[in-house]
Amino acid sequence: MTGSKLKIAGLNKWYGMRTGRMQALSHIDLELADNEFVSLVGASGCGKSTLLSIVAGLQSFDDGVLLTDGAPIIGPGLDRGVVFQSYTLLPWLTAQQNVEFALQAAGLSAGECRDIARHHIELVNLTKFADAFPSQLSGGMKQRVAIARALSYRPKMLLMDEPFGALDALTRHQMQELLTQIWEEHRLTVLFVTHDVEEAVYLSDRIVVMSINPGRINATYHVGLARPRSQSMISTPEFIGLQKQVLASIRDGSSIRPEE
């Protein structure tokens, strides 16, 4: 890992409410290195998804520094691919056409869109379902299409908000393995939001624990497990020990603090 891909410094986010203003994020300092996989974990309401949405350029923030490759983030961009828990596929388009549709925004020709989409559908092991419509796909297949779409325009950073949260346990494990394979092959920076600590340990180079009221960084853990990862690691003492540490930090940061 070389270079700083994402820099967040002193970032604050407030929401206006009828009863006054509420601080959602307080003084967030976080850097992601090039090709690093970082997971955000924490209790509900700690601001994980809000922070990811700000990095995606989908929400504003009140003050602080937010840079990617040294340049300010001022809105959505093709340098950042985003995958949400909801698949957000267009139901009237096939799997491949959904990927092609995303590529059109990059100004590519119809032939280029078709070739790139076909390659990325193959990357997520959906070649046999390229012409299927979303209604004909399982939840895991829909999420594969969403990942193929996010990767198709070659972003430098992949932002993922609970992408496997709606999947059953077996499909979730399959998607985790697919994601690690893609990440290890393509080497891009990933910011991953999850409430599943086991998933965070399995996928990440580093885990950032956030606390609530307001959302802030409570602890950071470096994951020293060897790569490539395998599901057999989940039962090892090293894996279980780190998982327990992260869970303890989440519990420590989940109590509501009095207003400061």
Side-chain angles (χ1 to χ4, degrees):
M1 296 181 291
T2 58
S4 178
K5 179 61 63 177
L6 175 70
K7 180 176 181 178
I8 305 170
L11 187 143
N12 294 291
K13 169 72 176 178
W14 294 79
Y15 286 120
M17 302 176 68
R18 226 178 249 183
T19 55
R21 297 179 79 207
M22 180 191 76
Q23 190 169 14
L25 296 171
S26 175
H27 203 80
I28 301 296
D29 293 320
L30 179 64
E31 289 194 40
L32 271 66
D34 196 22
N35 302 329
E36 188 179 20
F37 197 122
V38 174
S39 288
L40 298 176
V41 300
S44 296
C46 70
K48 305 183 298 291
S49 294
T50 298
L51 181 57
L52 183 135
S53 185
I54 289 171
V55 175
L58 300 174
Q59 284 196 51
S60 62
F61 58 97
D62 290 281
D63 48 66
V65 174
L66 180 62
L67 307 173
T68 179
D69 286 326
I73 294 175
I74 57 175
L78 294 178
D79 60 327
R80 282 153 286 141
V82 186
V83 180
F84 296 105
Q85 182 174 329
S86 57
Y87 317 115
T88 61
L89 302 181
L90 299 176
W92 59 89
L93 298 180
T94 66
Q96 175 154 327
Q97 288 169 342
N98 265 279
V99 180
E100 290 180 18
F101 184 81
L103 286 165
Q104 292 170 8
L108 301 175
S109 69
E112 288 174 318
C113 289
R114 184 172 57 252
D115 291 344
I116 294 172
R118 185 183 301 118
H119 169 73
H120 284 81
I121 287 291
E122 181 180 348
L123 181 70
V124 297
N125 302 322
L126 279 180
T127 302
K128 293 181 180 179
F129 298 91
D131 296 325
F133 291 93
S135 62
Q136 299 171 309
L137 302 174
S138 68
M141 289 176 177
K142 291 175 186 176
Q143 198 58 291
R144 290 185 187 204
V145 177
I147 292 172
R149 181 179 58 189
L151 293 173
S152 64
Y153 43 87
R154 301 296 174 86
K156 299 175 182 178
M157 189 183 309
L158 188 60
L159 308 173
M160 310 185 80
D161 190 0
E162 298 276 9
F164 310 142
L167 304 178
D168 63 84
L170 178 59
T171 305
R172 188 179 188 119
H173 286 159
Q174 291 171 341
M175 293 299 296
Q176 290 168 358
E177 290 181 354
L178 175 66
L179 178 58
T180 56
Q181 290 168 9
I182 291 172
W183 176 78
E184 286 165 2
E185 180 180 346
H186 289 264
R187 307 302 294 173
L188 68 165
T189 302
V190 179
L191 183 61
F192 190 94
V193 167
T194 181
H195 68 273
D196 188 324
V197 175
E198 179 185 286
E199 179 171 74
V201 175
Y202 180 75
L203 292 172
S204 309
D205 295 313
R206 190 157 46 107
I207 299 170
V208 175
V209 181
M210 295 184 65
S211 59
I212 64 173
N213 191 40
R216 66 185 79 190
I217 293 175
N218 189 43
T220 299
Y221 295 90
H222 291 270
V223 182
L225 300 172
R227 291 191 185 273
R229 305 272 166 86
S230 66
Q231 292 293 327
S232 62
M233 288 182 169
I234 292 173
S235 59
T236 63
E238 294 81 6
F239 192 105
I240 295 170
L242 179 55
Q243 188 175 351
K244 287 180 177 178
Q245 289 181 59
V246 175
L247 283 168
S249 287
I250 293 174
R251 286 193 295 269
D252 290 344
S254 63
S255 58
I256 298 177
R257 296 181 176 88
E259 302 230 350
E260 296 175 352

